Amino acid sequence: MSDSTVNSRLSFALVPAAAWLALFFLLPLLIICVISIMRPGTPVEWVVDGGSFARLFDPLYLTILVQSVGLALAATVLCLVFGYPLAYYIARRPPNIRRLLYFMVLVPLWANSLVLIYAWMVLLRPNGIFEHVFVWLGFSGNEPFSFLYTPGAVLLGLVYWYLPFMVYPLYAALEKFDFSLLDAARDLGASNWTVFLRVLWPLTLAGTATGCLLVFIESLGAFVVPDLLGGAKSMMFGNLIQQHFLSVPQDWPLGAAIAVTLLLTMGFALMFYIRSPRSKP
């Protein structure tokens, strides 16, 4: 069979996938881009305006943007701090135990996200377990303590939900790592901290970059976690988009402009990752 025949058959096999992506990804994305440059109406007037992007420079929306990026970055850093030791521990176990531990990391993703978030709401609410622990530790004040509906609760929910997305690529990088290099570095007199910074960290940086990108993108566009755990005090971009599309009064052009801005932000992060030589294994 000639190469041209194989290529033509492969091209034909890709037609259904390309049609699916065009219909359910590119077309909706194009519709959102078109709505973002229209004039606000009830909910939209089909007149090219483009003023919705200028409205994004309102101090209120800039504050929400900074808060969204800050929470996403904080969640990424905390997931890395907790996920790297966990992935390292799993990678150093025997194969049978390794598979069991990796399976346990996957288990929380099998449950419905709403059920998990409601469980955290029960734990964080006034008179919940967290409040009793703080009272027992002596941190209670004159007023009842409530961790729910605060930026800290949103950050806790983001770290809890997206930690597995950090562990996956880190474990994949550590599983292929030659740990005899660590012993060789120690034999040459390097301390444990030096071994980590000069040997382990550089050789697993591709997995680290992938995990950070996954967590940051997912956290930046999160909707359920900040909506249920943060309330109106900790609004993020996802909640703002939902508000303008579904709440009254509706403002589809502004909601679409926010969505396009969020998409561009994620696109730049992805482009930076792809172009970075450190991201390649």
Side-chain angles (χ1 to χ4, degrees), residues 173 202-211 213 269-281:
L203 294 179
T204 58
L205 195 56
T208 303
T210 302
L213 183 68
L270 184 60
M271 185 182 302
F272 175 79
Y273 167 76
I274 294 175
R275 294 175 65 88
S276 174
R278 293 280 190 175
S279 66
K280 300 174 176 60

Side-chain angles (χ1 to χ4, degrees), residues 80 82-93 98 102 166-182 195-196 199-208 281:
L80 179 61
F82 293 123
Y84 202 104
L86 177 59
Y88 180 86
Y89 179 81
I90 295 175
R92 296 305 302 266
R93 299 305 98 193
R98 189 188 310 165
Y102 189 76
M166 179 67 74
V167 175
Y168 300 152
L170 286 174
Y171 172 76
L174 289 166
E175 187 182 29
K176 298 180 289 186
F177 182 78
D178 185 2
F179 289 99
S180 63
L181 296 175
L182 305 184
V195 168
F196 173 75
V199 181
L200 184 61
W201 176 261
L203 294 179
T204 58
L205 195 56
T208 303

Side-chain angles (χ1 to χ4, degrees), residues 78-185:
L78 288 177
C79 284
L80 179 61
V81 170
F82 293 123
Y84 202 104
L86 177 59
Y88 180 86
Y89 179 81
I90 295 175
R92 296 305 302 266
R93 299 305 98 193
N96 292 336
I97 299 179
R98 189 188 310 165
R99 286 191 288 268
L100 175 62
L101 293 175
Y102 189 76
F103 171 77
M104 292 176 65
V105 174
L106 293 174
V107 167
L109 297 181
W110 291 12
N112 186 279
S113 59
L114 286 176
V115 174
L116 297 176
I117 299 304
Y118 279 126
W120 275 109
M121 293 179 68
V122 173
L123 295 174
L124 300 177
R125 66 184 173 87
N127 296 320
I129 294 178
F130 270 57
E131 180 178 351
H132 290 297
V133 170
F134 271 76
V135 171
W136 180 75
L137 293 175
F139 292 111
S140 62
N142 296 328
E143 307 223 348
F145 170 80
S146 177
F147 195 57
L148 190 62
Y149 304 132
T150 64
V154 176
L155 182 59
L156 177 63
L158 292 175
V159 172
Y160 170 78
W161 186 246
Y162 295 118
L163 181 61
F165 294 92
M166 179 67 74
V167 175
Y168 300 152
L170 286 174
Y171 172 76
L174 289 166
E175 187 182 29
K176 298 180 289 186
F177 182 78
D178 185 2
F179 289 99
S180 63
L181 296 175
L182 305 184
D183 297 329

